[in-house]
Amino acid sequence: MALLIGVPAETVPGERRLSVVPDVVKKYLDLGAQVMVESGAGQPAHYRDETFIDVRFAASADEVCAAADVVFCVQPLSPERIAALREGAVLIGLLQPWSDAGRVKLLAEKRITAFAMELLPRISRAQSMDVLSSQAAVAGYECALIAADHSPKFFPMLTYAAGTIRPAKVLVIGAGVAGLQAIATARRIGAMVEAYDVRPETREQIESLGAKFVDTGVAAAGTGGYARELTDEEKAKQAERLAKAVAQCDALITTAAIPGKRAPKIITADMVRRMKPGAVVVDMAAESGGNVEGTVAGEKTWINDVLVIGPANIASRMPVHASEMYAKNLFNFISPFIKEGTLALDWEDEVLAGTCLTHAGEIRHAGVKQVLGL
């Protein structure tokens, strides 16, 4: 029988993305696989059932999980859905492997071959599969729009009959994929943009987008494209230099996050209080603890006369393109192992092996085992 790929509806509140879209379904069919989607699963992302051609529809998530050889998800499956999976099935998605030891053990006990896309090795060959980067690009774009929407000032320079209004000044902290997208979007809207990252190699990227690099004299290049943890002395020096730039901006966007770890606290409440009245802070890292002291995930908080926004599940604000990007990432990850309608996993492949969370009744990822103490 042909490989059956299953897509249940997402159930986490506020999650609107989908792990397969009509154009990508065609690619799976061309490889000889079949696709089963829970009826109505695409509705939150504005993909109606009728837009999926040659797809089998299921009445429930349990039906999908019980029948599929490979199951895709955006958010981790609930224990009930994991229990509904066929023993030995393959699960692929953002599985938040560091957050729930019980879920990881359940996947192993059920003998599920689980691939957590957060674990994808950060090498050149894997860039087209990099879910974290594609969704971070969405988040960075959205954070710039959130800042512009909540700012009491125009972002672009405006000339009107009585004179000229100066453009708003935006400061972006963190120049990873999300930060660079936030910089580019704020610049397109017309703001003056400054940006900071502890990795010195990002300076050229920041300046190439037309932003000014804020030099604090602290460099902390780490491994895997992420920054290392700063020393107490470095944190103090960073805070002193950043405080001035923060006080001068009209909108602050922070994007510093490391998968599996709490977000570093970069902006203190005192720094926020010294910002201009009416200034806006958008903390993209709110769900992992926030870069800003006083951020509350999913809430808008006033600190004196400064609005601090902690948006949650930001990529779901733009579900059409976020789903398209996510679906293509998953296809690029699994399609090399679909041969004539069957799945042939190659455990010698460093991308496949490095992304594996559980297989054959074992927790395979050493880093996750260490963090969770398993």
Side-chain angles (χ1 to χ4, degrees):
M1 292 181 63
L3 176 72
L4 179 61
I5 296 169
V7 182
E10 298 293 324
T11 59
V12 172
E15 182 53 71
R16 300 172 60 196
R17 292 170 293 175
L18 187 67
S19 50
V20 72
V21 297
D23 285 347
V24 175
V25 166
K26 296 176 185 176
K27 296 182 179 182
Y28 287 117
L29 298 179
D30 288 343
L31 292 175
Q34 297 179 354
V35 179
M36 174 185 282
V37 178
E38 182 180 351
S39 183
Q43 193 64 40
H46 308 293
Y47 291 104
R48 298 188 301 273
D49 283 356
E50 55 265 32
T51 63
F52 291 92
I53 308 301
D54 295 327
V55 163
R56 293 165 54 183
F57 286 100
S60 68
D62 283 351
E63 184 180 344
V64 174
C65 292
D69 303 301
V70 176
V71 174
F72 291 156
C73 62
V74 179
Q75 297 282 353
L77 297 187
S78 66
E80 293 76 19
R81 286 198 175 177
I82 293 174
L85 293 171
R86 291 194 305 101
E87 185 171 303
V90 174
L91 176 65
I92 307 174
L94 288 167
L95 305 183
Q96 299 178 19
W98 302 282
S99 66
D100 190 334
R103 181 168 58 231
V104 175
K105 288 192 285 188
L106 183 59
L107 288 168
E109 290 167 3
K110 190 73 190 246
R111 302 185 71 81
I112 303 301
T113 297
F115 295 103
M117 297 305 291
E118 298 97 324
L119 304 177
L120 187 81
R122 299 185 71 81
I123 59 177
S124 297
R125 186 165 67 84
Q127 287 181 354
S128 67
M129 316 166 194
D130 192 346
V131 168
L132 293 181
S133 290
S134 71
Q135 302 307 290
V138 177
Y141 173 84
E142 283 290 336
C143 281
L145 298 186
I146 292 169
D149 184 44
H150 288 81
S151 176
K153 297 184 175 183
F154 285 110
F155 263 37
M157 182 176 72
L158 182 74
T159 300
Y160 69 122
T164 300
I165 293 176
R166 289 174 57 81
K169 180 178 284 188
V170 175
L171 173 62
V172 178
I173 304 293
V177 173
L180 293 173
Q181 188 60 244
I183 292 167
T185 304
R187 286 281 296 143
R188 290 189 192 105
I189 299 173
M192 296 187 295
V193 183
E194 294 185 343
Y196 168 70
D197 195 291
V198 292
R199 297 166 299 162
E201 65 269 22
T202 61
R203 180 173 193 146
E204 183 177 345
Q205 295 171 298
I206 289 169
E207 293 176 344
S208 72
L209 293 172
K212 178 182 177 183
F213 181 76
V214 176
D215 191 351
T216 65
V218 175
T223 58
Y226 298 108
R228 62 169 173 80
E229 185 74 22
L230 298 180
T231 66
D232 289 342
E233 183 180 350
E234 287 173 329
K235 288 178 181 178
K237 185 176 181 180
Q238 177 193 62
E240 180 184 352
R241 301 285 180 88
L242 273 182
K244 183 178 180 180
V246 170
Q248 294 174 344
C249 73
D250 300 299
L252 171 65
I253 300 170
T254 65
T255 69
I258 303 174
K261 297 183 180 179
R262 287 188 64 80
K265 279 288 186 290
I266 299 172
I267 307 299
T268 65
D270 181 62
M271 291 165 73
V272 174
R273 282 189 287 267
R274 290 163 59 187
M275 294 179 73
K276 299 175 183 178
V280 176
V281 177
V282 182
D283 190 344
M284 197 194 83
E287 289 181 290
S288 57
N291 300 139
V292 182
E293 188 179 352
T295 296
V296 179
E299 301 289 340
K300 299 176 183 177
T301 307
W302 287 94
I303 298 179
N304 286 355
D305 199 12
V306 176
L307 178 60
V308 179
I309 304 171
N313 200 359
I314 307 170
S316 276
R317 292 170 56 97
M318 200 173 73
V320 173
H321 279 160
S323 297
E324 179 181 329
M325 296 163 79
Y326 186 83
K328 288 180 178 178
N329 289 147
L330 295 193
F331 177 81
N332 290 337
F333 174 75
I334 197 64
S335 60
F337 309 105
I338 301 177
K339 311 289 186 181
E340 298 180 355
T342 61
L343 187 64
L345 299 177
D346 178 6
W347 294 106
E348 297 299 316
D349 185 286
E350 63 178 322
V351 172
L352 186 84
T355 310
C356 184
L357 176 61
T358 61
H359 176 64
E362 299 178 350
I363 301 170
R364 287 293 184 93
H365 197 277
V368 172
K369 291 175 69 173
Q370 182 179 9
V371 170
L372 296 179
L374 298 174

